[in-house]
Amino acid sequence: MSTYTSLLYHIVFSTYKREKTITQSNKKELFAYIYGYLKNKNCHLYRLNGVEDHIHIFTHIHQSISLASLVKDIKLSTSTLIKDKLLFKNWNGWQEGYGAFTVNANSKDKLIDYIIKQEEHHKHVSYLEEYKKLLNDHGVIFDEKYLL
């Protein structure tokens, strides 16, 4: 094959209305499912983590897959998994939309470390503060009324 890509994305999305529904006890099952899903799509997962109200996915996306369809399918399939297995009490789904940021290959280790330390990070910073910073750092113009 003669197609070579380096499509690295940092994907972030929250639970519906940023409800704190992702519990520690079943988070591993959710993450294992996402890992398997990405692997089946020929994507390479570098790191996945999150806290009660959102998750971070750092992955290479296979060149045959669009970012929008990948995120849509992850959100739909994990919502079904969560509902069918009753993984999280009071689960109301994921937020509409997502944040996705391209990643320079030279920044991989720094981003992996950042995602690993999510629990510690969110002792001091809310998801909304973090999300606004990510948007600003990547030069994304946004309207705060859409940041549920």
Side-chain angles (χ1 to χ4, degrees), residues 44-58:
H44 176 78
L45 179 66
Y46 287 98
R47 182 54 66 178
L48 167 63
N49 199 6
V51 293
E52 298 89 357
D53 62 353
H54 72 281
I55 65 171
H56 292 258
I57 302 169
F58 176 30

